[in-house]
Amino acid sequence: MQIKGLVKLFLILLVFVVLLQYIYLIPTWKVENKADEYAEKIAAKAPTGSDTYDIEKNARIRYLDSMSNEVVFKIPLLANYTYSDLKKSQLALGLDLKGGMSVMLQVNLKEFLLSLSNENKDARFRKALDNAEKDLADSQDDFVTLFAKEWKNVADGNNLAKIFINNPTLRNEINFTTPDDEVLKIIRDKSNETVKQTFNMLKQRIDKLGVLQPNISLDENRNLILVELPGIDNPERARSFLQASAKLEFWNVYRMSDPGIIDAFVAADSKLKDEQEMNKATQIKEDSIVFDTIYKPVQDSLGNVIDSTMEVVQRDATQSQAGPLLSKLQLSVASAQNGNTPICGFADGNQKDAIMQMLNKPEIKALFPKDLFFLWSQDPTKDRDNDKFTNIYELYMLKKEPGTERAPLEGDVVTSATPNINQQKGGEVDVSLSMDQKGAKKWAEMTTKAANDNNRQIAIVLDDEVVSAPNVQNPILGGNSSITGNYTMQTATDFSRILEIGKLPAKPQIIQGIYK
């Protein structure tokens, strides 16, 4: 009799769970049906020849994203449920039954150790890091173990403590006489802590992504993170979401009109040309006709660079031929309108690496101010005629603070980030930011200085790429700002969620992925 009673109780509980799941399913089905209807309407309006499958899928995702925090089901006097709440409350079906995405991520400790060393330039240290990275693919050892082996091979009697002692946070633990074994123990502890922090913050990110019951696990021995995302139907979005380090920075800038800047570019090009001619790498016929492609920044009423125009002109035969740098990098045209731009030039995307290699040569860097460095725009420019992206990128000039490689203001001061439709800019999507007290104070200081300096720009940088560089018309005293870019509501929402969680201590890289 007792067994029969337990069986009845089990059946009652099972029926209750099934009914509860059914109650959860009905409101979500309604939302998803509406998402399907919306997506079909959007796809039906697509131009002939468009990929209607992708258009419909992306429209459905946008609709569901917009509904994620909307209350869609209420139990009077007990609880309100958003669409996201209901999806999380449903039983997970798993990858085999529901499909989805499974990825293996490797936490990049090479970049972490470089950061821990304050970007130390020691050739032996860099070689040990590079060799450890190569060995990692075919080894069962973790990165720090492989680095320790490689350092012993290349150290040539040098002390590892000298590499890391320039980091102020390590000076209480390391001095010039600290043995290598002890230094390695310290950086191993720091690395293990960083891997765990990255794992925990990645879990918080995935929770924000709104996937139903994801599976996330950490292999501490090899610094690997396994992520399973059941039901995900946009793998590219998930990949970007998982791998973004979200290193947000605010930098002061140089302008083309600043003293000596244009002269430095001309001198750099001349020096590189002399080197090229000495090496007889290329021969240019003096009687050949040469054309220049000139890009001119287009600014809005506030002075923000919003576009660029392109013009192809024949170079005057009396002008000297451009050297290796200026044949690849078209300098911004100096004028009363745009001479104050922090964009020093424009280049085709496939020339970016070659240009940076030239600008990073010690003899070329010496021609520019010591605190100046270059970063490319995150997105290419748009063609004004068809509003489509070109393959032309902008090169910005940024300015370091004295005595440090860090930005004056970083993303760790951001307390909230929200996507926003800016009606004053024709419905453009941006991301609104609020800062803590420390960040607000520094932001007020930076914007006051920039506004008083002929409305100088401040560059907003994400993962070492310039998102935007707006002119500062007036000091911003409340710690609030916004980031503009080529955002959709979905990408702005994802970006906002990442910023609220904060940047990952170390960047994870996908080394294996399966999409079902």
Side-chain angles (χ1 to χ4, degrees), residues 128 130-141 146 149-150 222:
D130 290 340
N131 290 345
E133 185 177 43
K134 292 176 184 177
D135 294 342
L136 189 62
D138 302 314
S139 174
Q140 295 299 313
D141 289 329
L146 295 172
K149 292 177 182 177
E150 293 297 333
R222 296 197 62 207

Side-chain angles (χ1 to χ4, degrees), residues 472-483:
V472 181
Q473 300 296 325
N474 298 292
I476 303 173
L477 306 178
N480 297 316
S481 188
S482 64
I483 300 175

Side-chain angles (χ1 to χ4, degrees), residues 275-465:
E275 291 177 3
Q276 186 183 68
E277 290 177 349
M278 287 180 62
N279 295 330
K280 297 181 180 180
T282 59
Q283 295 293 330
I284 303 176
K285 294 182 180 180
E286 294 182 359
D287 58 350
S288 62
I289 298 175
V290 180
F291 292 89
D292 281 332
T293 304
I294 297 178
Y295 298 94
K296 299 180 180 180
V298 176
Q299 298 172 316
D300 61 18
S301 60
L302 297 178
N304 302 315
V305 176
I306 57 173
D307 202 349
S308 63
T309 60
M310 181 180 74
E311 182 181 1
V312 179
V313 297
Q314 183 175 330
R315 186 182 300 159
D316 191 325
T318 61
Q319 294 179 353
S320 61
Q321 302 288 353
L325 178 60
L326 298 188
S327 62
K328 292 180 172 61
L329 177 70
Q330 173 61 53
L331 290 186
S332 293
V333 178
S335 69
Q337 179 190 15
N338 56 44
N340 287 335
T341 177
I343 301 171
C344 61
F346 302 81
D348 195 88
N350 60 15
Q351 299 293 342
K352 292 195 308 184
D353 289 344
I355 291 169
M356 292 306 292
Q357 285 177 7
M358 288 185 276
L359 291 174
N360 285 328
K361 288 186 173 185
E363 66 272 24
I364 301 302
K365 290 177 71 173
L367 300 172
F368 293 89
K370 290 183 179 180
D371 56 356
L372 183 151
F373 70 103
F374 300 96
L375 285 181
W376 292 101
S377 60
Q378 184 181 67
D379 295 317
T381 59
K382 280 189 174 182
D383 188 304
R384 296 188 71 191
D385 294 331
N386 57 27
D387 200 38
K388 292 184 178 179
F389 285 110
T390 67
N391 195 39
I392 303 299
Y393 289 80
E394 301 155 333
L395 185 61
Y396 286 79
M397 300 178 293
L398 277 59
K399 186 175 184 179
K400 297 178 183 177
E401 295 279 279
T404 180
E405 297 290 317
R406 297 186 64 174
L409 191 62
E410 298 181 342
D412 56 358
V413 302
V414 174
T415 55
S416 67
T418 55
N420 176 57
I421 297 177
N422 193 327
Q423 300 296 347
Q424 295 180 345
K425 293 187 177 180
E428 181 183 56
V429 178
D430 60 27
V431 176
S432 299
L433 304 178
S434 297
M435 302 179 185
D436 61 20
Q437 187 175 1
K438 177 183 175 183
K441 181 179 179 181
K442 183 62 179 179
W443 189 230
E445 176 188 316
M446 289 179 69
T447 55
T448 299
K449 184 176 179 181
N452 293 336
D453 187 8
N454 194 24
N455 305 121
R456 189 173 287 265
Q457 299 86 348
I458 290 178
I460 301 173
V461 176
L462 180 67
D463 292 340
D464 297 323
E465 294 176 332

